[in-house]
Amino acid sequence: MDEIYYEVLDLLKTLISIPRVSREEARAADAVEAFLRGRGCAVRRSGNNVWCLSDDFDAARPTILLNSHIDTVKPVAGWTYPANEPTEVDDRLYGLGSNDAGASLVSLIATFLLLRSSSQAYNLILLASCEEEVSGRNGLESVLPMLPPIDVAIVGEPTGMHPAVAEKGLMVLDGEVCGVSGHAARSEGVNAIYKALPVVERLRSLQFDRVSDFLGPVKISVTQISAGTQHNVVPDLCRIVVDVRTTDAYSNDHTLEMIRAAVPDCRLEPRSTRLRPSSIALSHPIVSRLVTLGREPFGSPTLSDQALMPFPSVKVGPGDSSRSHTADEYICFDEIREAIQLYMTVLDGLRL
């Protein structure tokens, strides 16, 4: 355990030193691939996604996916330490992507290396994926068709090692409310802005019958409005953008149908419905073991690659979500050690 801990800690420091914003992860993928090959893993790669299977993979057994991402957001202003230079201060390691989600990635890599040759009642797939921060189509989504069937996934994200058993999905809707143009000096036309006002109010107050146990209600927010060509022309079109955070109470498609029915005067088109809400039963063996170990299930408002997984998944990893995407992002050394130990305790001897 100690040996692999220090090895993956060095890997994390290497990753921090490599700029790896979404869609520019090639060098980071190279580093992960070289690390795994150097430890005897049969590595496979597609684009900037790197994965490998446990040594005695048997299609007759259930399969667990261990997944986290190698990409980061761009560094924000305000860093007092170099964002791409691993900096150790007391019990902390500072650096871009240290918390989100480098610590989770290297902890899952350590777990895979410790378990890949052991006799278990399941298979393991380790996947270090790219483009998570932008929900890119060349990331996890592109790799899933290349993998054997998966029964459940552990998604590494900073949760303080508490299991996120549900996660909100996302739809961005483009809306149009139509009017009739005319001269603003005369009582002509139908002002599309005025027609849009009750639409915006309806969306602001819209509620659905079912409420998720862990995620609460579907959240609908009008976030952008635009209309008009010049001051003396009654606008014949008002455009709105609607941010919809969906829950496991409804599918994205069902949610879209209900929103459209609520505002028939507004033409709504989704940019995508692919970022789905997710959930896993509290009775699932992985969740049950985490709860037995004193970890508290919760619902996550933040999006991850869980949204692209058509199978059960639980999001759990070292660190704190509040540190993500902030200046002077850090991870504590003990958090990585604890994560490896907890992953091992949950997975070793597990039966699905």
Side-chain angles (χ1 to χ4, degrees), residues 162-189:
H162 296 287
V165 295
E167 181 185 85
K168 285 190 175 181
L170 170 65
M171 288 191 295
V172 178
L173 310 180
D174 291 306
E176 293 185 349
V177 178
C178 295
V180 178
S181 63
H183 199 294
R186 297 188 293 270
S187 297
E188 294 178 349

Side-chain angles (χ1 to χ4, degrees), residues 35-228:
F35 181 88
L36 293 170
R37 288 193 187 280
R39 282 144 189 85
C41 297
V43 180
R44 308 175 193 191
R45 181 166 174 174
S46 176
N48 294 328
N49 303 284
V50 177
W51 71 95
C52 42
L53 281 59
S54 50
D55 294 348
D56 60 345
F57 195 96
D58 182 351
R61 293 196 298 253
T63 297
I64 301 173
L65 174 68
L66 306 180
N67 167 245
S68 192
H69 61 94
I70 61 175
D71 59 316
T72 70
V73 296
K74 294 180 180 179
V76 298
W79 276 83
T80 58
Y81 300 107
N84 287 115
E85 183 177 313
T87 305
E88 299 182 40
V89 179
D90 298 327
D91 65 337
R92 296 178 176 181
L93 176 64
Y94 290 87
L96 183 62
S98 56
N99 176 76
D100 183 15
S104 292
L105 175 63
V106 301
S107 298
L108 287 172
I109 288 174
T111 303
F112 176 81
L113 292 174
L114 289 166
L115 289 175
R116 70 184 179 111
S117 299
S118 64
S119 178
Q120 302 291 343
Y122 56 81
N123 305 305
L124 281 178
I125 300 176
L126 171 71
L127 170 61
S129 52
C130 65
E131 296 191 9
E132 188 273 346
E133 294 290 3
V134 293
S135 301
R137 293 185 180 275
N138 293 320
L140 175 138
E141 188 176 40
S142 69
V143 175
L144 290 181
M146 307 178 196
L147 301 181
I150 295 166
D151 293 271
V152 65
I154 294 177
V155 179
E157 292 281 349
T159 70
M161 293 308 292
H162 296 287
V165 295
E167 181 185 85
K168 285 190 175 181
L170 170 65
M171 288 191 295
V172 178
L173 310 180
D174 291 306
E176 293 185 349
V177 178
C178 295
V180 178
S181 63
H183 199 294
R186 297 188 293 270
S187 297
E188 294 178 349
V190 177
N191 193 314
I193 295 176
Y194 297 160
K195 280 190 68 177
L197 292 176
V199 170
V200 172
E201 175 57 25
R202 177 64 173 140
L203 291 172
R204 186 188 71 82
S205 60
L206 186 58
Q207 296 183 352
F208 303 129
D209 293 336
R210 298 203 296 267
V211 176
S212 169
D213 290 339
F214 282 97
L215 299 173
V218 174
K219 190 174 189 308
I220 303 171
S221 304
V222 178
T223 54
Q224 292 177 270
I225 301 177
S226 61

Side-chain angles (χ1 to χ4, degrees), residues 9-44:
L9 186 58
D10 285 342
L11 173 61
L12 177 56
K13 294 175 183 177
T14 298
L15 291 173
I16 290 172
S17 70
I18 300 172
R20 57 193 193 286
V21 298
S22 302
R23 300 191 175 96
E24 298 176 11
E25 312 97 336
R27 288 178 57 210
D30 291 343
V32 172
E33 180 179 3
F35 181 88
L36 293 170
R37 288 193 187 280
R39 282 144 189 85
C41 297
V43 180
R44 308 175 193 191

Side-chain angles (χ1 to χ4, degrees), residues 267-284:
R267 183 168 64 247
L268 288 169
E269 292 297 331
R271 296 180 186 178
S272 171
T273 59
R274 58 191 274 269
L275 301 177
R276 302 177 295 267
S278 63
S279 64
I280 189 171
L282 292 177
S283 59
H284 192 280

Side-chain angles (χ1 to χ4, degrees), residues 246-288:
T246 55
T247 77
D248 56 325
Y250 301 97
S251 69
N252 279 1
D253 289 337
H254 192 181
T255 302
L256 177 59
E257 289 176 7
M258 293 188 293
I259 294 174
R260 281 173 167 164
V263 287
D265 288 338
C266 181
R267 183 168 64 247
L268 288 169
E269 292 297 331
R271 296 180 186 178
S272 171
T273 59
R274 58 191 274 269
L275 301 177
R276 302 177 295 267
S278 63
S279 64
I280 189 171
L282 292 177
S283 59
H284 192 280
I286 291 177
V287 178
S288 294

